[in-house]
Amino acid sequence: MANEDLVSWNAILAGYSQEGNHGLEAIFVFIEMVGEGMGLDHVSFTSAVSACGHEMNLELGKQIHGLTIKSGYGSHVSVCNVLISTYSKCEVTEDAKLVFQCMNYRNIVSWTTMISIDEEVVISLFNEVRLDGVYPNDVTFVGIIHAISIRKLVEEGEMIHGFCIKAGFLSKHNVCNSLGYAQNGLCQDALKTYLVATMESKPNNYTFGIVLSAIGALLDMYAKRGSICESKRVFSETPHKSQFAWIAIISAYAGHGDYDSVIELFKEMEREGVRPDSVTFLSILAAGCRNGMVEMGRHLFHSMVKDYHIEPSPQHYSSMADMLGRAGKLEEAEELMS
């Protein structure tokens, strides 16, 4: 009966914890369990620590960490994985690394989380993953490629790209159709959110859709180093191109000021039935601004509003005003901004 009670309590605790926005309720349930003298297990601790991460409650997280050690679960892999994630979310990365170093056994979640945390030694960690006999998955490569792109590690990026192709991580139909993109400086947050969401459950092919971030990171990596042809090759080799892939390649060409290619890709995107979003239009308008393409800029701006029902952001207005100003149409620019 005691075990059944613990299972029931754990179900309630896990339910609150997994919701994400019910962290406080999960914490209260855990405190009540402790008060009732329940024999806590790794499920209890995993849910409680996860809730602390959601609530960014570092002090309580540390207290529960101490309790896990006293209860004999301080080295349990699932508990340690969530502890690493929680310390990382609370920006106590040294404590996260210490938990990782003290683990007797590490699974792919452990390694992938550390790769997302410690970007300075990402290649070293990647090599250690394989030496440890753990095979990297799609999510691992998202973290690795993102870190490589941020640090502009060209040779390492090409090596990882080749590894992805050889392992088939960039050619899965379900993977390439499942969308979630990280633009405008949000890719690290997107990655961390995904890692937290998949921390203690094995992702399936649908969940692995986040690997599209890897494709975007590859496009971005090659574009930043000036290899726009490599970006185009990655795009061309991507089967079942999603909205994210189109946005990434358009942004890459826009960043290089190749307005003709930007427009051609945009038209091709429309012909393929892929709906552009606000980021797509912002990239095109920015490229048009640098090339003085006022008439096309006007057309695209109005198409964005009337055809696609996208509300212009301050950045869209700013790009249009800049475009008009560069063309000497100051009154029209002022009228637009007003």
Side-chain angles (χ1 to χ4, degrees), residues 108-159:
I108 190 57
V109 175
S110 319
W111 285 105
T112 301
T113 309
M114 281 308 301
I115 284 171
S116 73
I117 293 171
D118 203 353
E119 294 178 344
E120 293 297 317
V121 292
V122 62
I123 296 298
S124 175
L125 285 170
F126 176 65
N127 290 331
E128 289 183 46
V129 170
R130 293 184 291 167
L131 290 174
D132 199 33
V134 179
Y135 197 78
N137 61 23
D138 307 58
V139 193
T140 315
F141 284 114
V142 173
I144 294 169
I145 295 172
H146 171 67
I148 286 172
S149 178
I150 293 296
R151 300 186 62 211
K152 300 181 181 179
L153 303 176
V154 176
E155 291 184 6
E156 292 84 348
E158 291 176 341
M159 178 192 74

Coordinates of all heavy atoms in Angstrom, one line a residue, residues 108-159:
I108 N 23.0 10.0 -23.0 CA 23.2 11.0 -24.0 C 22.5 12.3 -23.5 O 23.0 13.4 -23.9 CB 22.5 10.5 -25.3 CG1 22.9 11.5 -26.5 CG2 21.0 10.4 -25.2 CD1 24.3 11.7 -26.7
V109 N 21.5 12.3 -22.7 CA 20.9 13.5 -22.1 C 22.0 14.3 -21.3 O 22.1 15.5 -21.4 CB 19.7 13.2 -21.3 CG1 19.2 14.5 -20.6 CG2 18.6 12.5 -22.1
S110 N 22.8 13.5 -20.5 CA 23.8 14.2 -19.7 C 24.8 14.9 -20.6 O 25.1 16.1 -20.3 CB 24.5 13.1 -18.8 OG 23.7 12.2 -18.3
W111 N 25.3 14.2 -21.6 CA 26.3 14.8 -22.5 C 25.8 16.0 -23.3 O 26.4 17.0 -23.4 CB 26.9 13.7 -23.4 CG 27.8 12.7 -22.8 CD1 27.5 11.5 -22.4 CD2 29.1 13.0 -22.4 NE1 28.6 10.9 -21.8 CE2 29.7 11.8 -21.8 CE3 30.0 14.1 -22.5 CZ2 30.9 11.7 -21.3 CZ3 31.3 14.0 -22.0 CH2 31.8 12.8 -21.4
T112 N 24.5 15.8 -23.8 CA 24.0 16.8 -24.6 C 23.7 18.1 -23.8 O 23.9 19.2 -24.3 CB 22.6 16.3 -25.2 OG1 22.9 15.2 -26.0 CG2 22.0 17.4 -26.1
T113 N 23.3 17.9 -22.6 CA 23.0 19.1 -21.7 C 24.3 19.8 -21.4 O 24.4 21.1 -21.5 CB 22.4 18.7 -20.4 OG1 21.2 17.9 -20.6 CG2 22.0 19.9 -19.6
M114 N 25.4 19.1 -21.2 CA 26.7 19.7 -20.9 C 27.2 20.4 -22.2 O 27.8 21.5 -22.1 CB 27.7 18.7 -20.5 CG 27.6 18.3 -19.0 SD 27.6 19.7 -17.9 CE 29.2 20.5 -18.2
I115 N 27.0 19.9 -23.3 CA 27.4 20.5 -24.6 C 26.7 21.9 -24.7 O 27.3 22.8 -25.2 CB 27.1 19.6 -25.8 CG1 28.2 18.5 -25.8 CG2 27.1 20.4 -27.1 CD1 27.9 17.4 -26.8
S116 N 25.4 21.9 -24.4 CA 24.7 23.2 -24.5 C 25.1 24.2 -23.5 O 25.0 25.4 -23.6 CB 23.2 22.9 -24.3 OG 22.9 22.6 -23.0
I117 N 25.7 23.7 -22.4 CA 26.2 24.6 -21.3 C 27.6 25.1 -21.5 O 27.9 26.3 -21.4 CB 26.1 23.9 -19.9 CG1 24.7 23.6 -19.5 CG2 26.8 24.7 -18.8 CD1 24.5 22.7 -18.3
D118 N 28.5 24.2 -21.9 CA 29.9 24.5 -21.9 C 30.4 24.6 -23.4 O 31.1 23.7 -23.9 CB 30.7 23.4 -21.2 CG 32.1 23.9 -20.7 OD1 32.5 25.0 -21.1 OD2 32.8 23.2 -20.0
E119 N 30.0 25.7 -24.1 CA 30.3 25.8 -25.5 C 31.8 26.0 -25.8 O 32.2 25.8 -26.9 CB 29.5 27.0 -26.0 CG 28.0 26.8 -26.0 CD 27.2 28.0 -26.5 OE1 27.9 29.1 -26.6 OE2 26.0 27.9 -26.8
E120 N 32.6 26.4 -24.8 CA 34.0 26.6 -25.0 C 34.7 25.4 -25.3 O 35.8 25.4 -26.0 CB 34.6 27.3 -23.8 CG 34.1 28.7 -23.5 CD 34.5 29.7 -24.6 OE1 35.6 29.6 -25.1 OE2 33.6 30.5 -25.0
V121 N 34.3 24.2 -24.8 CA 35.0 23.0 -25.0 C 34.1 22.0 -25.8 O 34.1 20.8 -25.5 CB 35.5 22.4 -23.7 CG1 36.6 23.3 -23.1 CG2 34.3 22.2 -22.7
V122 N 33.3 22.5 -26.7 CA 32.2 21.6 -27.3 C 32.9 20.5 -28.1 O 32.4 19.3 -28.0 CB 31.3 22.5 -28.2 CG1 32.1 23.1 -29.3 CG2 30.2 21.6 -28.7
I123 N 33.9 20.7 -28.8 CA 34.6 19.6 -29.6 C 35.2 18.6 -28.7 O 35.1 17.4 -28.9 CB 35.6 20.2 -30.6 CG1 34.9 21.1 -31.6 CG2 36.4 19.1 -31.3 CD1 33.9 20.4 -32.5
S124 N 35.8 19.0 -27.6 CA 36.4 18.1 -26.6 C 35.3 17.2 -26.0 O 35.4 16.0 -25.9 CB 37.1 18.9 -25.5 OG 37.5 18.0 -24.5
L125 N 34.1 17.8 -25.7 CA 33.0 17.1 -25.1 C 32.5 16.1 -26.1 O 32.1 15.0 -25.8 CB 31.9 18.0 -24.7 CG 32.2 18.8 -23.4 CD1 31.1 19.9 -23.2 CD2 32.2 17.8 -22.2
F126 N 32.4 16.5 -27.4 CA 31.9 15.6 -28.4 C 32.8 14.4 -28.6 O 32.3 13.3 -28.7 CB 31.8 16.4 -29.8 CG 31.4 15.5 -30.9 CD1 30.1 15.0 -31.0 CD2 32.3 15.3 -32.0 CE1 29.7 14.2 -32.1 CE2 31.9 14.5 -33.1 CZ 30.6 13.9 -33.1
N127 N 34.1 14.6 -28.5 CA 35.0 13.4 -28.6 C 34.8 12.5 -27.4 O 34.9 11.3 -27.5 CB 36.4 13.9 -28.7 CG 36.7 14.6 -30.1 OD1 36.1 14.2 -31.0 ND2 37.6 15.5 -30.1
E128 N 34.6 13.1 -26.2 CA 34.4 12.3 -25.0 C 33.2 11.5 -25.0 O 33.1 10.4 -24.5 CB 34.4 13.3 -23.7 CG 35.8 13.9 -23.4 CD 35.7 14.7 -22.1 OE1 35.1 14.3 -21.1 OE2 36.2 15.8 -22.2
V129 N 32.1 12.1 -25.7 CA 30.9 11.4 -25.8 C 31.1 10.0 -26.5 O 30.7 9.0 -26.0 CB 29.8 12.2 -26.6 CG1 28.6 11.3 -27.0 CG2 29.4 13.4 -25.9
R130 N 31.8 10.1 -27.6 CA 32.1 8.8 -28.3 C 33.0 7.9 -27.6 O 32.8 6.7 -27.6 CB 32.6 9.2 -29.7 CG 31.6 9.9 -30.6 CD 32.1 10.2 -32.0 NE 33.2 11.2 -32.0 CZ 33.9 11.4 -33.0 NH1 33.8 10.7 -34.1 NH2 34.9 12.3 -33.0
L131 N 34.0 8.4 -26.9 CA 34.9 7.6 -26.1 C 34.2 6.9 -25.0 O 34.6 5.8 -24.5 CB 36.1 8.5 -25.5 CG 37.1 9.0 -26.6 CD1 38.1 9.9 -25.9 CD2 37.8 7.8 -27.2
D132 N 33.1 7.6 -24.5 CA 32.3 7.0 -23.4 C 31.4 5.9 -23.9 O 30.6 5.4 -23.1 CB 31.5 8.1 -22.7 CG 31.1 7.8 -21.3 OD1 31.8 7.0 -20.6 OD2 30.0 8.2 -20.9
G133 N 31.3 5.7 -25.2 CA 30.5 4.7 -25.7 C 29.0 5.1 -25.9 O 28.1 4.3 -26.1
V134 N 28.8 6.4 -25.8 CA 27.4 7.0 -26.0 C 27.3 7.6 -27.4 O 28.2 8.4 -27.8 CB 27.1 8.0 -24.9 CG1 25.8 8.6 -25.1 CG2 27.3 7.5 -23.5
Y135 N 26.3 7.2 -28.1 CA 26.2 7.6 -29.5 C 25.3 8.9 -29.5 O 24.2 9.0 -29.0 CB 25.5 6.6 -30.4 CG 25.7 6.8 -31.9 CD1 27.0 6.5 -32.5 CD2 24.7 7.4 -32.6 CE1 27.2 6.8 -33.8 CE2 24.9 7.7 -34.0 CZ 26.2 7.4 -34.6 OH 26.4 7.6 -35.9
P136 N 25.9 10.0 -30.1 CA 25.1 11.3 -30.2 C 23.8 11.1 -31.0 O 23.8 10.4 -32.0 CB 26.1 12.2 -30.8 CG 27.0 11.4 -31.6 CD 27.2 10.1 -30.8
N137 N 22.8 11.9 -30.6 CA 21.6 11.9 -31.4 C 21.4 13.3 -32.0 O 22.2 14.2 -32.0 CB 20.4 11.5 -30.5 CG 20.2 12.5 -29.3 OD1 20.6 13.6 -29.4 ND2 19.5 12.0 -28.3
D138 N 20.2 13.5 -32.6 CA 19.9 14.7 -33.3 C 20.1 15.9 -32.4 O 20.6 17.0 -32.8 CB 18.4 14.7 -33.8 CG 18.1 13.5 -34.6 OD1 18.3 12.4 -34.1 OD2 17.7 13.6 -35.8
V139 N 19.6 15.8 -31.2 CA 19.6 17.0 -30.3 C 21.1 17.3 -29.9 O 21.4 18.5 -29.8 CB 18.9 16.7 -29.0 CG1 18.6 17.9 -28.2 CG2 17.5 16.0 -29.3
T140 N 21.9 16.3 -29.8 CA 23.3 16.6 -29.6 C 23.9 17.4 -30.7 O 24.7 18.4 -30.4 CB 24.1 15.2 -29.5 OG1 23.4 14.3 -28.7 CG2 25.5 15.4 -28.9
F141 N 23.6 17.1 -31.9 CA 24.2 17.9 -33.0 C 23.6 19.3 -33.1 O 24.3 20.2 -33.5 CB 23.9 17.1 -34.3 CG 24.8 15.9 -34.5 CD1 24.3 14.6 -34.6 CD2 26.2 16.1 -34.7 CE1 25.1 13.5 -34.7 CE2 27.0 15.0 -34.9 CZ 26.4 13.7 -34.9
V142 N 22.4 19.5 -32.6 CA 21.9 20.9 -32.6 C 22.8 21.7 -31.7 O 23.2 22.8 -32.0 CB 20.4 20.9 -32.1 CG1 20.0 22.3 -31.8 CG2 19.5 20.2 -33.0
G143 N 23.1 21.2 -30.5 CA 23.9 21.9 -29.5 C 25.3 22.1 -30.1 O 25.9 23.2 -30.0
I144 N 25.9 21.1 -30.7 CA 27.3 21.2 -31.2 C 27.4 22.2 -32.3 O 28.2 23.1 -32.3 CB 27.8 19.8 -31.7 CG1 27.9 18.8 -30.6 CG2 29.1 20.0 -32.4 CD1 28.1 17.4 -31.0
I145 N 26.5 22.1 -33.3 CA 26.5 23.0 -34.4 C 26.2 24.5 -34.0 O 26.8 25.4 -34.5 CB 25.5 22.6 -35.5 CG1 25.9 21.2 -36.1 CG2 25.4 23.6 -36.7 CD1 24.9 20.6 -37.0
H146 N 25.3 24.6 -33.1 CA 25.1 26.0 -32.6 C 26.3 26.6 -31.9 O 26.7 27.7 -32.2 CB 23.9 26.0 -31.5 CG 23.7 27.3 -30.8 ND1 23.3 28.4 -31.5 CD2 24.0 27.7 -29.5 CE1 23.3 29.4 -30.6 NE2 23.7 29.0 -29.5
A147 N 27.0 25.8 -31.1 CA 28.2 26.3 -30.4 C 29.3 26.6 -31.5 O 30.0 27.6 -31.4 CB 28.7 25.3 -29.4
I148 N 29.4 25.8 -32.5 CA 30.5 26.0 -33.5 C 30.2 27.2 -34.3 O 31.1 28.0 -34.6 CB 30.5 24.7 -34.4 CG1 31.2 23.6 -33.7 CG2 31.2 25.0 -35.7 CD1 31.1 22.3 -34.5
S149 N 28.9 27.4 -34.6 CA 28.5 28.6 -35.4 C 28.8 29.9 -34.6 O 29.3 30.9 -35.1 CB 27.0 28.6 -35.7 OG 26.6 29.7 -36.4
I150 N 28.5 29.9 -33.3 CA 28.7 31.1 -32.4 C 30.2 31.4 -32.4 O 30.6 32.6 -32.5 CB 28.2 30.8 -31.0 CG1 26.7 30.7 -31.0 CG2 28.7 31.9 -30.0 CD1 26.0 32.0 -31.4
R151 N 31.0 30.4 -32.3 CA 32.5 30.6 -32.1 C 33.2 30.6 -33.5 O 34.4 30.8 -33.5 CB 33.1 29.5 -31.2 CG 32.5 29.5 -29.8 CD 33.1 28.5 -29.0 NE 34.5 28.8 -28.8 CZ 35.5 27.9 -28.6 NH1 35.2 26.6 -28.6 NH2 36.8 28.3 -28.4
K152 N 32.5 30.4 -34.6 CA 33.0 30.4 -35.9 C 34.2 29.5 -36.1 O 35.3 29.8 -36.6 CB 33.5 31.9 -36.3 CG 32.3 32.9 -36.2 CD 32.8 34.3 -36.6 CE 31.6 35.3 -36.5 NZ 32.0 36.6 -36.8
L153 N 34.0 28.2 -35.7 CA 35.0 27.2 -35.8 C 34.8 26.5 -37.2 O 34.0 25.6 -37.3 CB 34.9 26.2 -34.7 CG 35.0 26.8 -33.3 CD1 34.8 25.7 -32.2 CD2 36.4 27.4 -33.1
V154 N 35.5 27.0 -38.2 CA 35.2 26.6 -39.6 C 35.5 25.1 -39.8 O 34.7 24.3 -40.2 CB 36.0 27.4 -40.6 CG1 35.8 26.9 -42.0 CG2 35.6 28.9 -40.4
E155 N 36.8 24.6 -39.5 CA 37.1 23.3 -39.7 C 36.3 22.3 -38.9 O 35.9 21.2 -39.4 CB 38.6 23.1 -39.4 CG 39.6 23.8 -40.4 CD 41.0 23.5 -40.1 OE1 41.3 22.7 -39.2 OE2 41.9 24.1 -40.7
E156 N 36.1 22.6 -37.7 CA 35.2 21.8 -36.8 C 33.8 21.7 -37.4 O 33.2 20.6 -37.3 CB 35.2 22.3 -35.4 CG 36.6 22.2 -34.6 CD 37.5 23.4 -34.9 OE1 37.2 24.1 -35.9 OE2 38.5 23.5 -34.2
G157 N 33.3 22.8 -37.9 CA 32.0 22.8 -38.4 C 31.9 21.9 -39.6 O 30.9 21.2 -39.8
E158 N 32.9 21.9 -40.5 CA 32.8 21.0 -41.7 C 32.9 19.6 -41.2 O 32.2 18.7 -41.8 CB 34.0 21.4 -42.6 CG 33.8 22.8 -43.3 CD 35.0 23.1 -44.1 OE1 36.1 22.5 -43.9 OE2 34.9 24.0 -45.0
M159 N 33.7 19.3 -40.2 CA 33.8 17.9 -39.7 C 32.4 17.4 -39.2 O 32.0 16.3 -39.5 CB 34.8 17.8 -38.6 CG 35.0 16.5 -38.0 SD 35.9 16.5 -36.4 CE 34.8 17.2 -35.3

